[in-house]
Amino acid sequence: MGKPLKVGIIGCGAIIAQYLTNFRKLGQIDLVAVADLDPARAQAVAEQYEGVRAISVDELLAADDVELVLNLTIPAAHAEVALKAIAAGKSVYGEKPLAATTAEARQVLDAAREAGVAVGCAPDTVLGTGIQTARKAIDDGLIGAPISASATMVTPGHERWHPNPDFYYQPGGGPLLDMGPYYVTALVTLLGPVVSVIGAASHTRNERIIGSGPRQGEKVPVNIDSHVTGVLVHASGALSTLFMSFDAVKSKSPNIEIHGERGSLVVPDPNHFDGDVQLFSLGAEDWETLPVSAGYVDSGRGFGIADLASTPEGSEPRAGGAMAYHALDVMESVLESAHSGTAVRINSTVERPASVELAVLATDVDSFQPQEAAS
C-alpha cells in the first residue's frame, strides 16, 4: 500500500515475457531480480529489463529486497518453490495451478498463514473487463436467478505448437488441470463456490508427436486422461457442465455460457482478459453486446499481483490462494469422480471475490472513457 511491491521471479520460461510486458506499465510492482535453474535464461531476462539482476534461486530467496516471489516454474515444482519462499518470509504468487495436488496446496496455504504472508495465484484473467462485465450483468439481475452454465475448451493438443509439451501429458497435466483453472475460476467468480461434482474421462492415444522446435517428430508418452467432462453443483443451486479436451479438434460452442430465468449470457474466453459479453433477454429478438462496465481495463498477466499489492493486510486477494485451492479441489474431485464413477463432495469452499469496478491500473492506457463504457 503506497509503495511498489518488490518482486523476484523464479522461472524464466516462455510465460515470463507476458509478465514483463505488464510489469513495465504497473506502478504497483517493482521487479528487482530473476532466477532460473539455467543461469543463461535468467541473464537474458535481466538484460532486457533495466534495474533487474540475475541471481541464483537461493540468492533470490535470501534477498532482503524481494518481498514477493513470482513462481513461474513447472506445475510439479509449484509447491516446493512456494514453500521455500514462504520459509524465507516472502509472499508468493504462482502460475496455475497452485500446486500439483490439493495436499501440496494445503501445505502452502497453511505455511503462509503461519508465516503471516500472502498467497496469490493465476489465473487473474477473471479481473479483466470480460469476466467482470459478465459478473456485473449477473449481479445486476439481467438474467434473473442463474440456473446453469456450460464451459467448453477444445484443442487437438499442445504438442502441435509447444516445443516441450511433456508435462501436459503427465500427472498434474491434462486438459482439466492445464486449462481448467481459467474456466473453473471464472465459473466460481460468476456463480459462487462448488459443493459437489461428478465426472467422466478418457484418452484416445498413448503417445503424442511433437510438431515444432528442435524435438519435432519426437514421441511423448500420455499418462493422463486427455478428455474430461464434469458437472459442478454450485452452492447456489446452479449447475455447470465442463467439457475439456486435448483430443477433439474444434468447437463452435461459446467458451462459457450462463443461463438464468430471464436471460442468457455468452461470456468471453476466460483465458483472455477482455472480450464481448452478449446478452439474450427473455422476449428479445436477438443477442445484444453489453458495454464494458467492470474490471481492469487493458489488463494482462500480472494484474493479479498489482491487485494483491493493493489488498489490505489480512484480507484475501481476489486472485488469492483460497480461490486457487478451491478451483484445484474442484478439478481434482472431477478426476476422482471420473475414476470412481460416483459423485464427490467438495471439502473446500471460498467466498465469491469482491467484484472489480471499472478501473485503470496500467500507466499507458490513454483511451479510457468510463462515462461511455458505463452508459
Side-chain angles (χ1 to χ4, degrees):
M1 300 290 287
K3 63 178 183 177
L5 180 67
K6 295 186 179 299
V7 174
I9 299 176
I10 297 178
C12 297
I15 194 64
I16 196 174
Q18 295 183 46
Y19 281 94
L20 295 179
T21 296
N22 291 309
F23 282 1
R24 287 187 172 93
K25 59 185 182 182
L26 287 169
Q28 300 87 349
I29 296 170
D30 180 14
L31 180 61
V32 297
V34 293
D36 193 276
L37 292 178
D38 181 352
R41 292 209 300 186
Q43 186 59 43
V45 171
E47 290 173 356
Q48 300 172 30
Y49 204 108
E50 185 177 354
V52 173
R53 64 189 189 276
I55 54 181
S56 70
V57 171
D58 288 342
E59 288 171 331
L60 189 147
L61 292 173
D64 292 336
D65 62 343
V66 173
E67 299 173 299
L68 178 142
V69 171
L70 172 55
N71 182 3
L72 300 184
T73 59
I74 62 172
H78 284 182
E80 178 184 358
V81 172
L83 288 169
K84 287 181 178 179
I86 292 167
K90 305 185 188 307
S91 295
V92 292
Y93 185 97
E95 256 301 325
K96 50 77 186 169
L98 179 60
T101 66
T102 52
E104 290 182 350
R106 174 48 57 193
Q107 292 178 358
V108 171
L109 296 185
D110 288 347
R113 185 180 63 254
E114 292 176 7
V117 298
V119 176
C121 188
D124 49 3
T125 47
V126 293
L127 307 182
T129 55
I131 301 299
Q132 288 296 318
T133 293
R135 159 77 180 262
K136 188 175 190 305
I138 295 172
D139 291 351
D140 288 349
L142 296 189
I143 65 169
I147 299 168
S148 67
S150 59
T152 304
M153 192 291 300
V154 171
T155 175
H158 291 346
E159 76 281 359
R160 293 168 60 86
W161 57 269
H162 199 294
N164 295 291
D166 308 65
F167 69 94
Y168 289 116
Y169 298 102
Q170 299 303 315
L176 183 60
L177 291 177
D178 175 47
M179 296 300 294
Y182 299 105
Y183 291 81
V184 174
T185 302
L187 290 170
V188 173
T189 297
L190 294 168
L191 300 175
V194 177
V195 295
S196 67
V197 302
I198 189 163
S202 65
H203 72 275
T204 58
R205 285 165 278 174
N206 292 322
E207 60 185 21
R208 301 289 179 116
I209 299 175
I210 299 176
S212 64
R215 299 173 61 199
Q216 185 173 3
E218 184 178 328
K219 294 179 179 179
V220 174
V222 176
N223 294 313
I224 48 84
D225 288 316
S226 48
H227 183 101
V228 182
T229 63
V231 176
L232 318 182
V233 180
H234 295 264
S236 65
L239 304 177
S240 294
T241 303
L242 289 176
F243 179 97
M244 306 274 120
S245 184
F246 280 172
D247 292 341
V249 175
K250 198 71 174 176
S251 173
K252 292 182 70 174
S253 299
N255 295 101
I256 295 179
E257 199 169 49
I258 310 287
H259 303 286
E261 294 176 323
R262 295 195 290 108
S264 295
L265 285 175
V266 170
V267 182
D269 188 344
N271 192 22
H272 298 160
F273 288 80
D274 54 13
D276 289 339
V277 177
Q278 294 184 302
L279 168 68
F280 198 109
S281 299
L282 182 65
E285 294 184 356
D286 202 354
W287 294 89
E288 64 172 307
T289 299
L290 297 179
V292 173
S293 59
Y296 292 131
V297 175
D298 194 36
S299 49
R301 291 182 187 269
F303 273 62
I305 301 174
D307 186 80
L308 180 152
S310 302
T311 299
E313 187 175 350
S315 298
E316 178 70 12
R318 288 187 178 95
M323 173 64 84
Y325 182 88
H326 185 62
L328 180 60
D329 193 10
V330 169
M331 294 184 295
E332 194 174 81
S333 297
V334 168
L335 295 175
E336 179 186 343
S337 173
H339 295 150
S340 69
T342 60
V344 174
R345 194 83 186 157
I346 304 300
N347 294 319
S348 66
T349 191
V350 65
E351 289 190 18
R352 194 166 171 241
S355 59
V356 180
E357 293 186 3
L358 192 63
V360 174
L361 288 185
T363 57
D364 63 350
V365 177
D366 57 10
S367 61
F368 179 53
Q369 297 177 311
Q371 68 280 7
E372 293 183 8
S375 62

